Amino acid sequence: MYEEFTQNRIAQLRMQNNVSARDMSLSLGQNDSYINRIENKKALPSLQGLFYICEYFSISPQEFFDEGNVYPAQLSIIIEDLRKLDKDSLEHIGAIIRKLANQK
């Protein structure tokens, strides 16, 4: 279950960041087929490898495994910005988000 999720999540995040599997593999200090083997379900990253992958995408392992969070890096940046706002500003942003969410 988590094996397939992990493999698919890496592919999803890699494509969102518009980076090739080869470039990502080399950036992680691995051989050029490392990510390709993971995405093709021939391998899984070690725990340390998964931490490096999370670091590569600037996300935490918790964000990596959050199935409901399709864009973890982007959401993390927004949350950090929201933490700097006062209560009134947060209420205004919340109203905007609810309005946008209801437009779907």
Side-chain angles (χ1 to χ4, degrees):
M1 177 171 118
Y2 283 112
E3 293 89 355
E4 188 171 341
F5 173 82
T6 300
Q7 293 157 328
N8 292 337
R9 181 66 153 184
I10 292 169
Q12 172 197 23
L13 294 170
R14 182 183 61 75
M15 288 186 279
Q16 284 177 1
N17 286 276
N18 199 27
V19 64
S20 73
R22 182 181 188 280
D23 288 345
M24 183 176 167
S25 296
L26 296 174
S27 293
L28 292 169
Q30 300 292 328
N31 67 51
D32 62 352
S33 65
Y34 175 69
I35 295 298
N36 195 9
R37 290 183 43 76
I38 293 170
E39 290 180 2
N40 289 320
K41 300 175 181 21
K42 295 179 182 173
L44 283 169
S46 65
L47 183 58
Q48 186 66 44
L50 183 62
F51 289 155
Y52 287 138
I53 290 168
C54 289
E55 186 177 306
Y56 179 84
F57 290 123
S58 300
I59 61 174
S60 69
Q62 180 181 355
E63 291 166 325
F64 181 90
F65 285 105
D66 182 354
E67 295 180 55
N69 187 352
V70 180
Y71 302 103
Q74 294 82 351
L75 188 57
S76 178
I77 292 167
I78 291 169
I79 290 170
E80 283 303 311
D81 289 340
L82 289 172
R83 289 177 188 201
K84 300 171 189 172
L85 300 177
D86 62 26
K87 182 181 178 204
D88 289 338
S89 297
L90 286 171
E91 288 174 357
H92 290 301
I93 296 294
I96 292 169
I97 291 170
R98 285 187 293 280
K99 183 173 181 165
L100 289 171
N102 289 329
Q103 290 179 0
K104 290 183 178 184

